[in-house]
Amino acid sequence: DGGITQSPKYLFRKEGQNVTLSCEQNLNHDAMYWYRQDPGQGLRLIYYSQIVNDFQKGDIAEGYSVSREKKESFPLTVTSAQKNPTAFYLCASSMVGDYYEQYFGPGTRLTVT
Amino acid sequence: GQNIDQPTEMTATEGAIVQINCTYQTSGFNGLFWYQQHAGEAPTFLSYNVLDGLEEKGRFSSFLSRSKGYSYLLLKELQMKDSASYLCAPLNSNYQLIWGAGTKLIIKP
């Protein structure tokens, strides 16, 4: 079955620690995205990548970093510089150039205390 | 700037019909998506409109007017499982989805 996986579903960290969230897709999609969602809010774009070894900042990239070394994988690191890291993080992927529906992974709920 | 406007919350009765409106302003336009998101879960695709008019898919229909920057999602024969948030997301000139805050739909028996 094709899809997007994110792990873990729940993650707990102490303040001051970096944490990396994984995102893997086997849909053969070129584009991948990371979003953050806070309670009662819409999705806010953190980073996106349309091709391997290239990525762009979204609206709220400060305190986050990404890499895109393989087409299938787009990990997100939440650094200690991110002021309010506790949130629901969603990874998505889409085709490029034809149809832009985004397919989402199940999400990771990160709690930093 | 880019802006999406949807009602924050709506309530409807099981078996009834509800219309969720969305107005948008984006830099360019390449279509509009509607997604459903149950609490604590990821959004799932409902519909896509790129031309003006109504797209029907089972109990769900979506309408688009590009000249008015307006779309609506129509849900018929409401079921309890339709209780969720509904996200309107136009695709701008850079092919980026611009997400509204969503409309929380509460279904009562």
Side-chain angles (χ1 to χ4, degrees), chain A residues 35 37 48 100-102 105, chain B residues 33 35 37 42 45 95-96 99:
Chain A
Y35 293 96
Q37 189 174 36
Y48 65 100
Y100 290 84
E101 176 189 341
Q102 291 187 13
Chain B
F33 288 86
Y35 280 78
Q37 186 178 25
F45 169 80
Y95 294 94
Q96 294 297 322
W99 297 88

Side-chain angles (χ1 to χ4, degrees), chain B residues 2-8 20-26 32 34 69-72 86-90 98-103:
Chain B
Q2 303 188 105
N3 187 59
I4 314 300
D5 196 20
Q6 300 178 238
T8 303
I20 301 174
N21 295 324
C22 170
T23 58
Y24 61 88
Q25 289 179 307
T26 54
L32 186 143
W34 282 94
Y70 168 70
S71 175
Y72 68 72
Y86 292 86
L87 312 178
C88 168
I98 309 302
W99 297 88
T103 297

Side-chain angles (χ1 to χ4, degrees), chain A residues 34-50:
Chain A
W34 273 106
Y35 293 96
R36 169 185 174 136
Q37 189 174 36
D38 294 285
Q41 305 289 317
L43 305 181
R44 291 188 289 167
L45 183 64
I46 305 172
Y47 270 98
Y48 65 100
S49 166
Q50 294 191 314

Side-chain angles (χ1 to χ4, degrees), chain B:
Chain B
Q2 303 188 105
N3 187 59
I4 314 300
D5 196 20
Q6 300 178 238
T8 303
E9 188 174 296
M10 298 181 70
T11 302
T13 304
E14 192 176 13
I17 299 173
V18 70
Q19 178 174 313
I20 301 174
N21 295 324
C22 170
T23 58
Y24 61 88
Q25 289 179 307
T26 54
S27 52
F29 181 79
N30 283 296
L32 186 143
F33 288 86
W34 282 94
Y35 280 78
Q36 180 190 61
Q37 186 178 25
H38 285 100
E41 297 182 7
T44 55
F45 169 80
L46 285 178
S47 69
Y48 173 62
N49 294 67
V50 64
L51 299 176
D52 289 353
L54 189 68
E55 293 280 343
E56 297 186 78
K57 191 188 287 187
R59 293 189 299 115
F60 292 9
S61 303
S62 56
F63 172 83
L64 175 67
S65 169
R66 289 172 296 171
S67 62
K68 295 182 179 178
Y70 168 70
S71 175
Y72 68 72
L73 182 69
L74 190 72
L75 292 77
K76 304 176 186 175
E77 302 169 14
L78 286 169
Q79 302 175 8
M80 297 303 293
K81 68 178 182 180
D82 297 330
S83 291
S85 289
Y86 292 86
L87 312 178
C88 168
L91 195 64
N92 71 6
S93 57
N94 292 327
Y95 294 94
Q96 294 297 322
L97 284 178
I98 309 302
W99 297 88
T103 297
K104 183 177 180 181
L105 178 62
I106 299 167
I107 309 297
K108 295 188 174 179

Side-chain angles (χ1 to χ4, degrees), chain A residues 16-36:
Chain A
Q17 293 178 337
N18 291 355
V19 59
T20 297
L21 312 184
S22 76
C23 178
E24 304 277 332
Q25 55 100 359
N26 61 3
L27 298 167
N28 199 33
H29 286 167
D30 287 307
M32 297 187 74
Y33 312 81
W34 273 106
Y35 293 96
R36 169 185 174 136

